Structure formats: structure tokens, C-alpha cells
Amino acid sequence: MFQKKSRIIVGLTTYYNDYLELSIPALARLKQNFTLIVHASNPDEKVTKKQIRALGYTGPLYIINSQQSVDTLNARLAILDMVRARNMGASWFMFVDDDDILANLDVPDVSPETFAIIQNMVVLRTRLIDVLRVAKDSTRYTIDNENVFLVRPHVGMAGTLVRMDAALRMADVIRDAAPGISEIIERLSFRAPIDAMMWSALNIVSHFDNPDARPIYMDCVNYIATDIDTAQTKYGLRLQPAKNATRQIEQIITAFNTVIRGALVAAAAPVGA
């Protein structure tokens, strides 16, 4: 049974405004009521309310235009900072990337121990025609495992509904762990797996606070990712390690998890201990 009314915030991070022509019209078609926060991370490309309205979105809207180039982690944290500062009081939160399509925002009736709702993701891998079709109608795709793939379940922050209090708590711990996280990221020669890192942090923090806390899985597609860009670098960094990508990413996540757990333990220790 789905809740007819659910207070939801969608946080969208963008670097190139052109991508908004894909993501914003899809958000405008959603039937659910939600608040949209857009973080523009490129100081050379400002986003305006007029621009977002022209793309069809008419709901509650906030825009953060960064004065300097910002990575995904800090852009997402800035969105959560705004949620807290304005005391928006939403129950659920979701991150969306600017070049992806959110297909629905259905929120099931779940137990208080549920901190996140994992669903499925469709990935458009090779053909522009598939992107053009889902840009007009998010149901216009066919899974063929050649051009269009189904990720079932999709595990990560983007496209995943997260309880608002859990998202804010995660942000606090990441802030506490910032020096250690910066150390990990600065020594990389490729883009840090921010989405996987944040998802890992969310799980660690939620279980630390409540051992019974858990995500649940809802077997439906709610997110469509575009992956037809074959460029090997983005924003001056390689997208993946040149060698042993899986092992290197696992090592990064392990180091990141250690830093997050250390921040939790330090914050929980008695003053003067």
C-alpha cells in the first residue's frame, strides 16, 4: 500500500546545464508532490529558476549556484546542508544525477527501521535513440542486454529513497570524517566512487545508530541511467583505474569505511576519554 501523500525532497547535482534538458522534464512528469533542490557545481554555468520552469517543473524549487567547481560529494552535502538550514521537514530524500531520468517517486508504507528503499535501474548503454525515447516517456525501453540493461537491484545513493533523518545523520558523520576522506580522494588518479562511498557510509551510520536498521528492496524500475558517453576521462580525471579497477575500488571503499567508523567512534567517546 502506497502513501497518497509523502513529503519528499529530490536533490539534483549538475555540472553542465545541457543535461537538465533530460532530467528536469522527467521530474516535471512525476505525479508525486516533492521539493526539488538543484546544485549547480560549475561556476561558469549558473542555473536559474526561469530555466527550470521553462523545462516544465512547477513545484517547490531551490537552487544553489556554487562559486567554485565542486565535486559530487560536496555538492550533495551542500544540498543536505540547505535542507537542514531551512528546516524543510521532509520524510524522504533522493539524489538524482543531471544526465539520468527519475521514473517514479512511489514510497511504500514501511517500518521505522527501514532507512532506505532500493529499487531497479535501467541503463542505456549504446544508442542515442533509446535516450531520446525515454526522454519523452520513461516507459519506452526494451531490455535486450545489448543496448539496454536492467540492474536488479540497483544499490547506490542515486535513485534510492532514503529517510531524511538518516541522510542528514550520514552527512554529519561525513563532515566529521572530512580530513580522512580528503586524504583518500587526493591520492587517486581517477574519479572517486562517490556514490558507492556515500551508500556505504549511509549503511554504516544507520547500523551504528540502530542495529535493527535496514534497507528494503522494492522490485520495480524507478531510475534510468544514460551511459552512452564513451569518454575515458571526465573533469580531468579517468573514470576508472587503468588496471585492476574492481580491486582498487574495493580498497578505496575499505579505507573510506575505516575513516567513517573512526569518526563514529570518536564522536561517541566520552569527553576527555
Side-chain angles (χ1 to χ4, degrees), residues 200-258:
S200 187
L202 177 68
N203 279 266
I204 291 170
V205 173
S206 297
H207 289 131
F208 183 89
D209 291 344
N210 178 5
D212 293 327
R214 63 188 182 279
I216 66 165
Y217 170 58
M218 188 162 68
D219 190 8
C220 65
V221 172
N222 78 315
Y223 200 72
I224 301 173
T226 60
D227 190 27
I228 65 172
D229 192 341
T230 57
Q232 296 300 306
T233 62
K234 190 173 183 180
Y235 312 136
L237 288 173
R238 291 185 61 86
L239 296 179
Q240 295 281 343
K243 297 180 179 179
N244 302 317
T246 299
R247 187 177 68 182
Q248 287 197 56
I249 289 173
E250 287 176 351
Q251 290 172 344
I252 293 165
I253 299 296
T254 298
F256 174 80
N257 290 349
T258 299

Side-chain angles (χ1 to χ4, degrees), residues 104-266:
N104 75 68
L105 264 177
D106 292 335
V107 181
D109 188 7
V110 296
S111 73
E113 286 74 29
T114 299
F115 66 84
I117 301 169
I118 298 168
Q119 300 180 63
N120 301 330
M121 176 175 70
V122 167
V123 180
L124 310 179
R125 184 98 3 119
T126 58
R127 301 185 307 189
L128 178 59
I129 187 63
D130 295 314
V131 178
L132 295 174
R133 285 171 177 165
V134 298
K136 294 181 179 179
D137 180 350
S138 61
T139 66
R140 287 193 66 194
Y141 60 82
T142 301
I143 305 298
D144 60 13
N145 295 318
E146 179 182 0
N147 305 295
V148 182
F149 294 79
L150 177 65
V151 179
R152 181 187 186 208
H154 163 55
V155 179
M157 288 298 295
T160 297
L161 281 161
V162 178
R163 283 202 187 272
M164 191 74 255
D165 56 354
L168 293 173
R169 169 72 169 133
M170 172 197 67
D172 288 342
V173 176
I174 289 176
R175 292 284 193 201
D176 290 342
I181 295 171
S182 295
E183 247 183 68
I184 294 170
I185 293 176
E186 287 170 2
R187 64 174 180 250
L188 300 180
S189 60
F190 53 91
R191 293 191 73 207
I194 297 298
D195 197 75
M197 291 163 70
M198 293 185 75
W199 173 252
S200 187
L202 177 68
N203 279 266
I204 291 170
V205 173
S206 297
H207 289 131
F208 183 89
D209 291 344
N210 178 5
D212 293 327
R214 63 188 182 279
I216 66 165
Y217 170 58
M218 188 162 68
D219 190 8
C220 65
V221 172
N222 78 315
Y223 200 72
I224 301 173
T226 60
D227 190 27
I228 65 172
D229 192 341
T230 57
Q232 296 300 306
T233 62
K234 190 173 183 180
Y235 312 136
L237 288 173
R238 291 185 61 86
L239 296 179
Q240 295 281 343
K243 297 180 179 179
N244 302 317
T246 299
R247 187 177 68 182
Q248 287 197 56
I249 289 173
E250 287 176 351
Q251 290 172 344
I252 293 165
I253 299 296
T254 298
F256 174 80
N257 290 349
T258 299
V259 170
I260 292 295
R261 290 190 176 98
L264 284 167
V265 171

Side-chain angles (χ1 to χ4, degrees), residues 40-96:
S41 305
N42 184 349
D44 297 324
E45 295 199 14
K46 302 298 183 183
V47 174
T48 66
K49 286 190 175 182
K50 182 178 179 180
Q51 176 185 4
I52 302 300
R53 299 303 187 201
L55 292 171
Y57 178 74
T58 60
L61 173 64
Y62 297 88
I63 296 173
I64 305 169
N65 281 302
S66 179
Q67 299 303 308
Q68 58 187 7
S69 183
V70 175
D71 64 13
T72 301
L73 176 61
N74 284 292
R76 288 180 172 182
L77 292 178
I79 290 174
L80 292 172
D81 287 345
M82 173 175 276
V83 171
R84 188 192 301 279
R86 292 181 177 269
N87 195 24
M88 294 185 179
S91 302
W92 292 91
F93 182 88
M94 180 186 288
F95 285 118
V96 174

